[in-house]
Amino acid sequence: MTTLLKQNIVRHVSLSEKETEQFCSLFSQQEVKKKDLLLREGEVCKFEIFVTQGLFRVYHIDNSGFEQVLYFAMEDWWVTDIDSFTNQRPSHLYIEALEDSEILLISNQDKDYAYKHIPAIEKLFRIMTQKTHVALQRRMIDNLSKTADQRYLDFIEKYPQLVQRLSNIQIASYLGISHEFLSKIRRKISLKNPLN
């Protein structure tokens, strides 16, 4: 189960084989069933997750009861509530499995241990945090400057492997629109491109 994690690490930092094994040994393995919640609003997030198989969504429920998806996480992606995990404060988010999944989890204590004993791990998480920050900043700019049609087209171009695995409702929630409006967008696009 750690093969994918090792490949992920190598793309970001160089570790010796011993360091890689030491870091991977800090993770626990878990199988998760579809619709299981790994985190609920009000709970403190005690783990950071690396997805080896399956699909998750991270979402918030607003004051009107609407679900707002922050992001999805599939194989080879990391998922957590970074605020709750880092600051050990109650979460405002939910983490739900959208498919039967297999994950690797690392606790805050084990992550701190890795920082102290495997210095390159701190660099690994710094790089990943920067990439996440860039992605969130770009998403905020897109939400402010692009139409829903443009955001949907960007989503299907950037994440074609996700589109087939998600429902219209889930994609609409990510885009911040109703699923009825998404259906209209999809119809409009298919009329413009009848061969697709």
Side-chain angles (χ1 to χ4, degrees):
M1 248 177 108
T2 59
T3 304
L4 200 57
L5 176 60
K6 290 174 183 176
Q7 292 169 354
N8 185 278
I9 293 165
V10 168
R11 284 198 306 273
H12 297 98
V13 294
S14 295
L15 294 179
S16 70
E17 192 173 324
K18 181 182 177 185
E19 289 172 326
T20 303
E21 292 301 328
Q22 185 181 8
F23 180 56
C24 290
S25 73
L26 298 174
F27 287 78
S28 59
Q29 300 178 8
Q30 187 174 327
E31 292 185 3
V32 183
K33 294 291 182 195
K34 181 178 179 177
K35 296 191 178 183
D36 279 357
L37 287 169
L38 296 181
L39 181 68
R40 290 176 176 83
E41 183 177 15
E43 297 176 349
V44 174
C45 185
K46 301 191 180 297
F47 46 76
E48 199 156 342
I49 299 166
F50 181 75
V51 183
T52 57
Q53 182 180 322
L55 180 63
F56 293 84
R57 70 177 176 140
V58 178
Y59 66 97
H60 168 71
I61 299 177
D62 69 16
N63 292 335
S64 303
F66 293 108
E67 293 179 3
Q68 300 169 328
V69 174
L70 274 70
Y71 64 94
F72 300 103
M74 60 182 179
E75 295 85 4
D76 197 30
W77 290 15
W78 295 82
V79 61
T80 193
D81 175 344
I82 194 68
D83 181 14
S84 179
F85 179 74
T86 303
N87 299 309
Q88 291 297 284
R89 53 181 281 175
S91 178
H92 296 286
L93 304 176
Y94 295 83
I95 300 175
E96 180 188 15
L98 297 177
E99 300 173 352
D100 289 346
S101 303
E102 294 177 3
I103 57 175
L104 297 171
L105 299 98
I106 189 167
S107 69
N108 222 333
Q109 295 82 2
D110 286 335
K111 193 174 170 186
D112 284 342
Y113 175 88
Y115 285 166
K116 289 175 188 158
H117 295 90
I118 315 167
I121 295 303
E122 199 153 17
K123 181 180 179 184
L124 169 70
F125 281 98
R126 178 179 53 79
I127 291 168
M128 291 190 309
T129 300
Q130 288 171 332
K131 287 183 176 185
T132 300
H133 188 77
V134 168
L136 288 173
Q137 180 175 298
R138 287 178 181 166
R139 184 165 176 221
M140 286 173 52
I141 291 168
D142 286 350
N143 284 345
L144 294 170
S145 62
K146 292 184 176 180
T147 65
D149 298 35
Q150 290 170 317
R151 293 196 316 271
Y152 173 67
L153 289 170
D154 288 350
F155 180 81
I156 61 176
E157 182 180 326
K158 189 171 183 181
Y159 305 112
Q161 66 281 34
L162 268 180
V163 174
Q164 304 303 317
R165 297 166 72 176
L166 296 171
S167 70
N168 277 357
I169 292 172
Q170 292 161 345
I171 295 171
S173 179
Y174 175 83
L175 295 173
I177 59 177
S178 70
H179 69 277
E180 294 88 359
F181 190 57
L182 178 58
S183 294
K184 288 179 185 175
I185 292 171
R186 291 176 82 155
R187 275 195 301 277
K188 189 180 358 172
I189 291 168
S190 66
L191 290 174
K192 286 181 182 176
N193 304 306
L195 298 178
N196 291 342

PDB file of all heavy atoms in Angstrom, residues 158-179:
ATOM      1  N   LYS A 158      -9.149  20.029 -16.547  1.00  0.00           N
ATOM      2  CA  LYS A 158      -8.104  19.808 -15.557  1.00  0.00           C
ATOM      3  C   LYS A 158      -8.234  18.447 -14.870  1.00  0.00           C
ATOM      4  O   LYS A 158      -7.237  17.820 -14.521  1.00  0.00           O
ATOM      5  CB  LYS A 158      -8.157  20.919 -14.503  1.00  0.00           C
ATOM      6  CG  LYS A 158      -6.983  20.908 -13.564  1.00  0.00           C
ATOM      7  CD  LYS A 158      -6.971  22.150 -12.696  1.00  0.00           C
ATOM      8  CE  LYS A 158      -5.752  22.171 -11.803  1.00  0.00           C
ATOM      9  NZ  LYS A 158      -5.713  23.324 -10.931  1.00  0.00           N
ATOM     10  N   TYR A 159      -9.478  17.978 -14.671  1.00  0.00           N
ATOM     11  CA  TYR A 159      -9.705  16.727 -13.937  1.00  0.00           C
ATOM     12  C   TYR A 159     -10.581  15.749 -14.719  1.00  0.00           C
ATOM     13  O   TYR A 159     -11.630  15.322 -14.234  1.00  0.00           O
ATOM     14  CB  TYR A 159     -10.365  17.020 -12.583  1.00  0.00           C
ATOM     15  CG  TYR A 159      -9.616  18.001 -11.728  1.00  0.00           C
ATOM     16  CD1 TYR A 159     -10.152  19.261 -11.458  1.00  0.00           C
ATOM     17  CD2 TYR A 159      -8.381  17.675 -11.170  1.00  0.00           C
ATOM     18  CE1 TYR A 159      -9.463  20.171 -10.654  1.00  0.00           C
ATOM     19  CE2 TYR A 159      -7.691  18.577 -10.373  1.00  0.00           C
ATOM     20  CZ  TYR A 159      -8.249  19.822 -10.120  1.00  0.00           C
ATOM     21  OH  TYR A 159      -7.572  20.711  -9.334  1.00  0.00           O
ATOM     22  N   PRO A 160     -10.181  15.365 -15.921  1.00  0.00           N
ATOM     23  CA  PRO A 160     -11.039  14.465 -16.714  1.00  0.00           C
ATOM     24  C   PRO A 160     -11.281  13.122 -16.023  1.00  0.00           C
ATOM     25  O   PRO A 160     -12.352  12.533 -16.161  1.00  0.00           O
ATOM     26  CB  PRO A 160     -10.259  14.282 -18.022  1.00  0.00           C
ATOM     27  CG  PRO A 160      -8.836  14.617 -17.678  1.00  0.00           C
ATOM     28  CD  PRO A 160      -8.915  15.656 -16.599  1.00  0.00           C
ATOM     29  N   GLN A 161     -10.298  12.663 -15.245  1.00  0.00           N
ATOM     30  CA  GLN A 161     -10.446  11.391 -14.554  1.00  0.00           C
ATOM     31  C   GLN A 161     -11.458  11.470 -13.410  1.00  0.00           C
ATOM     32  O   GLN A 161     -11.990  10.449 -12.979  1.00  0.00           O
ATOM     33  CB  GLN A 161      -9.083  10.887 -14.051  1.00  0.00           C
ATOM     34  CG  GLN A 161      -8.435  11.733 -12.965  1.00  0.00           C
ATOM     35  CD  GLN A 161      -7.727  12.995 -13.406  1.00  0.00           C
ATOM     36  OE1 GLN A 161      -8.131  13.657 -14.347  1.00  0.00           O
ATOM     37  NE2 GLN A 161      -6.660  13.362 -12.719  1.00  0.00           N
ATOM     38  N   LEU A 162     -11.727  12.673 -12.913  1.00  0.00           N
ATOM     39  CA  LEU A 162     -12.703  12.849 -11.836  1.00  0.00           C
ATOM     40  C   LEU A 162     -14.128  12.941 -12.357  1.00  0.00           C
ATOM     41  O   LEU A 162     -15.056  12.464 -11.707  1.00  0.00           O
ATOM     42  CB  LEU A 162     -12.396  14.145 -11.066  1.00  0.00           C
ATOM     43  CG  LEU A 162     -11.501  14.069  -9.857  1.00  0.00           C
ATOM     44  CD1 LEU A 162     -11.337  15.454  -9.244  1.00  0.00           C
ATOM     45  CD2 LEU A 162     -12.029  13.102  -8.828  1.00  0.00           C
ATOM     46  N   VAL A 163     -14.299  13.556 -13.504  1.00  0.00           N
ATOM     47  CA  VAL A 163     -15.640  13.824 -14.037  1.00  0.00           C
ATOM     48  C   VAL A 163     -16.471  12.549 -14.132  1.00  0.00           C
ATOM     49  O   VAL A 163     -17.662  12.548 -13.794  1.00  0.00           O
ATOM     50  CB  VAL A 163     -15.552  14.538 -15.405  1.00  0.00           C
ATOM     51  CG1 VAL A 163     -16.922  14.701 -16.033  1.00  0.00           C
ATOM     52  CG2 VAL A 163     -14.885  15.895 -15.241  1.00  0.00           C
ATOM     53  N   GLN A 164     -15.840  11.459 -14.551  1.00  0.00           N
ATOM     54  CA  GLN A 164     -16.562  10.187 -14.713  1.00  0.00           C
ATOM     55  C   GLN A 164     -16.944   9.569 -13.375  1.00  0.00           C
ATOM     56  O   GLN A 164     -17.817   8.713 -13.316  1.00  0.00           O
ATOM     57  CB  GLN A 164     -15.703   9.190 -15.509  1.00  0.00           C
ATOM     58  CG  GLN A 164     -15.260   9.702 -16.869  1.00  0.00           C
ATOM     59  CD  GLN A 164     -16.432  10.108 -17.753  1.00  0.00           C
ATOM     60  OE1 GLN A 164     -17.433   9.409 -17.812  1.00  0.00           O
ATOM     61  NE2 GLN A 164     -16.307  11.241 -18.404  1.00  0.00           N
ATOM     62  N   ARG A 165     -16.287   9.983 -12.300  1.00  0.00           N
ATOM     63  CA  ARG A 165     -16.498   9.367 -10.988  1.00  0.00           C
ATOM     64  C   ARG A 165     -17.410  10.186 -10.079  1.00  0.00           C
ATOM     65  O   ARG A 165     -17.730   9.746  -8.970  1.00  0.00           O
ATOM     66  CB  ARG A 165     -15.135   9.162 -10.308  1.00  0.00           C
ATOM     67  CG  ARG A 165     -14.247   8.198 -11.078  1.00  0.00           C
ATOM     68  CD  ARG A 165     -12.814   8.231 -10.632  1.00  0.00           C
ATOM     69  NE  ARG A 165     -12.598   7.613  -9.326  1.00  0.00           N
ATOM     70  CZ  ARG A 165     -11.394   7.461  -8.785  1.00  0.00           C
ATOM     71  NH1 ARG A 165     -10.314   7.865  -9.428  1.00  0.00           N
ATOM     72  NH2 ARG A 165     -11.268   6.891  -7.602  1.00  0.00           N
ATOM     73  N   LEU A 166     -17.797  11.369 -10.529  1.00  0.00           N
ATOM     74  CA  LEU A 166     -18.601  12.260  -9.702  1.00  0.00           C
ATOM     75  C   LEU A 166     -19.999  12.441 -10.276  1.00  0.00           C
ATOM     76  O   LEU A 166     -20.199  12.390 -11.488  1.00  0.00           O
ATOM     77  CB  LEU A 166     -17.932  13.630  -9.605  1.00  0.00           C
ATOM     78  CG  LEU A 166     -16.568  13.677  -8.923  1.00  0.00           C
ATOM     79  CD1 LEU A 166     -15.942  15.057  -9.115  1.00  0.00           C
ATOM     80  CD2 LEU A 166     -16.691  13.335  -7.449  1.00  0.00           C
ATOM     81  N   SER A 167     -20.950  12.698  -9.395  1.00  0.00           N
ATOM     82  CA  SER A 167     -22.319  13.007  -9.839  1.00  0.00           C
ATOM     83  C   SER A 167     -22.394  14.482 -10.226  1.00  0.00           C
ATOM     84  O   SER A 167     -21.540  15.290  -9.837  1.00  0.00           O
ATOM     85  CB  SER A 167     -23.315  12.718  -8.715  1.00  0.00           C
ATOM     86  OG  SER A 167     -23.164  13.669  -7.670  1.00  0.00           O
ATOM     87  N   ASN A 168     -23.429  14.831 -10.973  1.00  0.00           N
ATOM     88  CA  ASN A 168     -23.665  16.239 -11.318  1.00  0.00           C
ATOM     89  C   ASN A 168     -23.802  17.090 -10.061  1.00  0.00           C
ATOM     90  O   ASN A 168     -23.342  18.228 -10.012  1.00  0.00           O
ATOM     91  CB  ASN A 168     -24.930  16.383 -12.166  1.00  0.00           C
ATOM     92  CG  ASN A 168     -24.689  16.103 -13.631  1.00  0.00           C
ATOM     93  OD1 ASN A 168     -23.564  15.845 -14.048  1.00  0.00           O
ATOM     94  ND2 ASN A 168     -25.740  16.138 -14.420  1.00  0.00           N
ATOM     95  N   ILE A 169     -24.451  16.539  -9.045  1.00  0.00           N
ATOM     96  CA  ILE A 169     -24.667  17.286  -7.799  1.00  0.00           C
ATOM     97  C   ILE A 169     -23.328  17.604  -7.143  1.00  0.00           C
ATOM     98  O   ILE A 169     -23.111  18.721  -6.660  1.00  0.00           O
ATOM     99  CB  ILE A 169     -25.583  16.492  -6.838  1.00  0.00           C
ATOM    100  CG1 ILE A 169     -27.002  16.423  -7.429  1.00  0.00           C
ATOM    101  CG2 ILE A 169     -25.604  17.108  -5.453  1.00  0.00           C
ATOM    102  CD1 ILE A 169     -27.961  15.520  -6.685  1.00  0.00           C
ATOM    103  N   GLN A 170     -22.412  16.647  -7.131  1.00  0.00           N
ATOM    104  CA  GLN A 170     -21.103  16.862  -6.512  1.00  0.00           C
ATOM    105  C   GLN A 170     -20.282  17.898  -7.281  1.00  0.00           C
ATOM    106  O   GLN A 170     -19.649  18.773  -6.688  1.00  0.00           O
ATOM    107  CB  GLN A 170     -20.344  15.533  -6.410  1.00  0.00           C
ATOM    108  CG  GLN A 170     -20.987  14.579  -5.423  1.00  0.00           C
ATOM    109  CD  GLN A 170     -20.570  13.137  -5.620  1.00  0.00           C
ATOM    110  OE1 GLN A 170     -20.006  12.759  -6.647  1.00  0.00           O
ATOM    111  NE2 GLN A 170     -20.850  12.306  -4.624  1.00  0.00           N
ATOM    112  N   ILE A 171     -20.316  17.805  -8.611  1.00  0.00           N
ATOM    113  CA  ILE A 171     -19.586  18.785  -9.428  1.00  0.00           C
ATOM    114  C   ILE A 171     -20.193  20.169  -9.251  1.00  0.00           C
ATOM    115  O   ILE A 171     -19.472  21.160  -9.087  1.00  0.00           O
ATOM    116  CB  ILE A 171     -19.581  18.370 -10.919  1.00  0.00           C
ATOM    117  CG1 ILE A 171     -18.794  17.062 -11.105  1.00  0.00           C
ATOM    118  CG2 ILE A 171     -18.992  19.479 -11.785  1.00  0.00           C
ATOM    119  CD1 ILE A 171     -18.902  16.453 -12.486  1.00  0.00           C
ATOM    120  N   ALA A 172     -21.511  20.251  -9.251  1.00  0.00           N
ATOM    121  CA  ALA A 172     -22.190  21.540  -9.074  1.00  0.00           C
ATOM    122  C   ALA A 172     -21.828  22.161  -7.723  1.00  0.00           C
ATOM    123  O   ALA A 172     -21.573  23.370  -7.635  1.00  0.00           O
ATOM    124  CB  ALA A 172     -23.700  21.360  -9.196  1.00  0.00           C
ATOM    125  N   SER A 173     -21.780  21.343  -6.687  1.00  0.00           N
ATOM    126  CA  SER A 173     -21.431  21.834  -5.355  1.00  0.00           C
ATOM    127  C   SER A 173     -20.007  22.387  -5.333  1.00  0.00           C
ATOM    128  O   SER A 173     -19.734  23.406  -4.702  1.00  0.00           O
ATOM    129  CB  SER A 173     -21.582  20.705  -4.338  1.00  0.00           C
ATOM    130  OG  SER A 173     -21.233  21.136  -3.056  1.00  0.00           O
ATOM    131  N   TYR A 174     -19.101  21.735  -6.053  1.00  0.00           N
ATOM    132  CA  TYR A 174     -17.726  22.219  -6.158  1.00  0.00           C
ATOM    133  C   TYR A 174     -17.683  23.564  -6.894  1.00  0.00           C
ATOM    134  O   TYR A 174     -16.939  24.468  -6.519  1.00  0.00           O
ATOM    135  CB  TYR A 174     -16.858  21.187  -6.879  1.00  0.00           C
ATOM    136  CG  TYR A 174     -15.446  21.645  -7.138  1.00  0.00           C
ATOM    137  CD1 TYR A 174     -14.464  21.547  -6.150  1.00  0.00           C
ATOM    138  CD2 TYR A 174     -15.075  22.175  -8.372  1.00  0.00           C
ATOM    139  CE1 TYR A 174     -13.169  21.968  -6.381  1.00  0.00           C
ATOM    140  CE2 TYR A 174     -13.773  22.593  -8.614  1.00  0.00           C
ATOM    141  CZ  TYR A 174     -12.828  22.491  -7.612  1.00  0.00           C
ATOM    142  OH  TYR A 174     -11.543  22.918  -7.852  1.00  0.00           O
ATOM    143  N   LEU A 175     -18.499  23.683  -7.938  1.00  0.00           N
ATOM    144  CA  LEU A 175     -18.504  24.903  -8.744  1.00  0.00           C
ATOM    145  C   LEU A 175     -19.306  26.033  -8.105  1.00  0.00           C
ATOM    146  O   LEU A 175     -19.250  27.174  -8.559  1.00  0.00           O
ATOM    147  CB  LEU A 175     -19.077  24.606 -10.142  1.00  0.00           C
ATOM    148  CG  LEU A 175     -18.260  23.648 -11.008  1.00  0.00           C
ATOM    149  CD1 LEU A 175     -19.028  23.307 -12.283  1.00  0.00           C
ATOM    150  CD2 LEU A 175     -16.894  24.223 -11.334  1.00  0.00           C
ATOM    151  N   GLY A 176     -20.070  25.719  -7.061  1.00  0.00           N
ATOM    152  CA  GLY A 176     -20.866  26.737  -6.379  1.00  0.00           C
ATOM    153  C   GLY A 176     -22.139  27.102  -7.122  1.00  0.00           C
ATOM    154  O   GLY A 176     -22.602  28.247  -7.041  1.00  0.00           O
ATOM    155  N   ILE A 177     -22.708  26.129  -7.848  1.00  0.00           N
ATOM    156  CA  ILE A 177     -23.952  26.353  -8.599  1.00  0.00           C
ATOM    157  C   ILE A 177     -24.921  25.209  -8.297  1.00  0.00           C
ATOM    158  O   ILE A 177     -24.532  24.191  -7.721  1.00  0.00           O
ATOM    159  CB  ILE A 177     -23.699  26.436 -10.125  1.00  0.00           C
ATOM    160  CG1 ILE A 177     -23.041  25.142 -10.632  1.00  0.00           C
ATOM    161  CG2 ILE A 177     -22.848  27.648 -10.466  1.00  0.00           C
ATOM    162  CD1 ILE A 177     -22.818  25.100 -12.134  1.00  0.00           C
ATOM    163  N   SER A 178     -26.177  25.380  -8.700  1.00  0.00           N
ATOM    164  CA  SER A 178     -27.150  24.302  -8.505  1.00  0.00           C
ATOM    165  C   SER A 178     -26.936  23.229  -9.571  1.00  0.00           C
ATOM    166  O   SER A 178     -26.400  23.505 -10.649  1.00  0.00           O
ATOM    167  CB  SER A 178     -28.580  24.849  -8.610  1.00  0.00           C
ATOM    168  OG  SER A 178     -28.857  25.218  -9.954  1.00  0.00           O
ATOM    169  N   HIS A 179     -27.372  22.003  -9.267  1.00  0.00           N
ATOM    170  CA  HIS A 179     -27.188  20.943 -10.274  1.00  0.00           C
ATOM    171  C   HIS A 179     -28.097  21.175 -11.476  1.00  0.00           C
ATOM    172  O   HIS A 179     -27.789  20.760 -12.582  1.00  0.00           O
ATOM    173  CB  HIS A 179     -27.364  19.542  -9.667  1.00  0.00           C
ATOM    174  CG  HIS A 179     -28.738  19.191  -9.243  1.00  0.00           C
ATOM    175  ND1 HIS A 179     -29.258  19.560  -8.033  1.00  0.00           N
ATOM    176  CD2 HIS A 179     -29.699  18.498  -9.882  1.00  0.00           C
ATOM    177  CE1 HIS A 179     -30.489  19.109  -7.933  1.00  0.00           C
ATOM    178  NE2 HIS A 179     -30.784  18.468  -9.036  1.00  0.00           N
TER     179      HIS A 179
END
